[in-house]
Amino acid sequence: METKKVWLVTGASKGLGLTLVKKLLENGYRVAATSRNAHSLVEAIGVASGSFLPLEVSLTDDDAVKAAIDKIVMHFGKIDVVVNNAGYGQLGTLEELSDAETKENFDVNVFAPLNVVRHAMPYLRSQKSGNIFNIASVGGIFGSFAGWGVYCATKFAMAGFTEALAEEAKEFGIHATVVYPGYFRTDFLTAGSLKTPKSAIQEYAAARQSEQAHLNDINGNQPNDPEKAADVLIAISEEENPPVHLLLGSDAYDMLQNKIELITKDAEQWKEYTVSTGY
């Protein structure tokens, strides 16, 4: 009987990552999971075994990521599926977020998953197979949310590098998918996972209203089930030709349609200028 695939899931101590790891283990897959605190993984899932490897990794440390991936291959013999799930939400308008706050969000949401890709690819290339899921957000499709510009920019970046990765990796039999979840009922919108600006400017009424709505009203009332999202990711990993773009949630689908309509409207309205630049 074929041995089930080995998965690497980052940011696995809570939210969608934790749900996915539990479901994978229930279904007989072998899983390496990372968190900033290995104790939280052991507490939530269990100790290291033949099917589970908890790892404490600072994903923004390139050397630490390489060491972790080498350790996974030593433990399980290979890696088949990589899920770049770790990340956090950063609220704040472009004016009020500091350089440090902005760079930190990019470090965790963009440069950390690039570290994982960089060091997983040699193993995936050598075996001529694999899947990489980069978990972005509907904010990686549609950025018209006051107070979410930096966060959306990190997710737009993830979408962009995943599109390129899909082209680079396909000649090796490796599939790359950018995942755009809508609102899922996890702890993403809790104070521990969603950062607010250190120096808020109260004049930004729309941003402040969005901040309060996400922390107080939307949190706990999200329309999507993380258990079902985990089922979808597992199913997609077994597809022969998985998509480059995967939306999760009817709200994500609706936002895509809104984005298409907005871009098309602008393109058509200003087409005379657009096509006027040729020689």
Side-chain angles (χ1 to χ4, degrees):
M1 189 176 75
E2 185 182 353
T3 305
K4 289 227 176 179
K5 293 177 178 178
V6 175
W7 288 60
L8 163 60
V9 182
T10 70
S13 63
K14 57 185 177 180
L16 176 60
L18 177 58
T19 301
L20 176 60
V21 169
K22 287 182 174 180
K23 183 145 290 194
L24 287 166
L25 291 170
E26 287 169 6
N27 284 277
Y29 292 92
R30 293 172 290 167
V31 185
T34 79
S35 175
R36 288 170 295 176
N37 183 346
H39 178 71
S40 63
L41 291 171
V42 172
E43 205 169 52
I45 303 164
V47 297
S49 66
S51 58
F52 179 60
L53 180 63
L55 294 167
E56 184 170 312
V57 186
S58 172
L59 297 173
T60 57
D61 182 335
D62 188 56
D63 291 335
V65 171
K66 183 181 186 307
I69 289 176
D70 290 345
K71 189 177 294 185
I72 294 165
V73 174
M74 285 182 62
H75 189 82
F76 291 120
K78 61 175 184 169
I79 296 177
D80 296 297
V81 185
V82 174
V83 183
N84 272 311
N85 171 70
Y88 71 93
Q90 176 65 66
L91 272 163
T93 65
L94 299 185
E95 179 186 354
E96 65 196 358
L97 286 179
S98 67
D99 179 62
E101 287 171 301
T102 300
K103 285 179 177 175
E104 183 181 7
N105 205 206
F106 270 86
D107 281 343
V108 174
N109 290 7
V110 179
F111 295 111
L114 285 172
N115 289 342
V116 174
V117 168
R118 184 180 304 114
H119 295 299
M121 278 297 293
Y123 291 107
L124 300 180
R125 279 193 299 107
S126 68
Q127 67 195 27
K128 295 287 193 288
S129 66
N131 293 77
I132 298 173
F133 291 103
N134 292 324
I135 310 298
S137 162
V138 290
I141 294 175
F142 193 85
S144 300
F145 306 102
W148 289 90
V150 166
Y151 174 74
C152 287
T154 68
K155 297 305 183 179
F156 268 74
M158 177 175 268
F161 74 65
T162 305
E163 288 185 352
L165 177 63
E167 289 299 310
E168 295 163 359
K170 67 182 181 181
E171 65 183 283
F172 305 105
I174 302 163
H175 303 285
T177 300
V178 55
V179 183
Y180 305 96
Y183 285 97
F184 277 80
R185 204 166 296 180
T186 67
D187 53 7
F188 178 76
L189 295 179
T190 60
S193 298
L194 181 63
K195 294 189 178 183
T196 54
K198 293 176 182 176
S199 300
I201 300 171
Q202 295 307 317
E203 287 89 336
Y204 281 106
R208 298 287 79 75
Q209 289 168 7
S210 177
E211 181 179 310
Q212 291 308 308
H214 281 83
L215 290 170
N216 300 323
D217 302 327
I218 299 173
N219 186 33
N221 296 303
Q222 297 96 323
N224 293 300
D225 182 353
E227 295 278 344
K228 293 178 179 177
D231 289 336
V232 170
L233 291 177
I234 294 169
I236 293 292
S237 76
E238 300 295 343
E239 290 284 343
E240 186 176 349
N241 294 299
V244 175
H245 300 273
L246 176 65
L247 292 104
L248 291 180
S250 59
D251 52 347
Y253 183 86
D254 290 343
M255 285 190 201
L256 173 63
Q257 300 310 308
N258 289 341
K259 180 64 177 280
I260 291 170
E261 289 174 15
L262 283 170
I263 291 181
T264 303
K265 180 182 176 183
D266 279 350
E268 293 304 320
Q269 182 178 348
W270 303 100
K271 182 178 178 181
E272 185 178 345
Y273 284 104
T274 301
V275 300
S276 69
T277 59
Y279 284 106

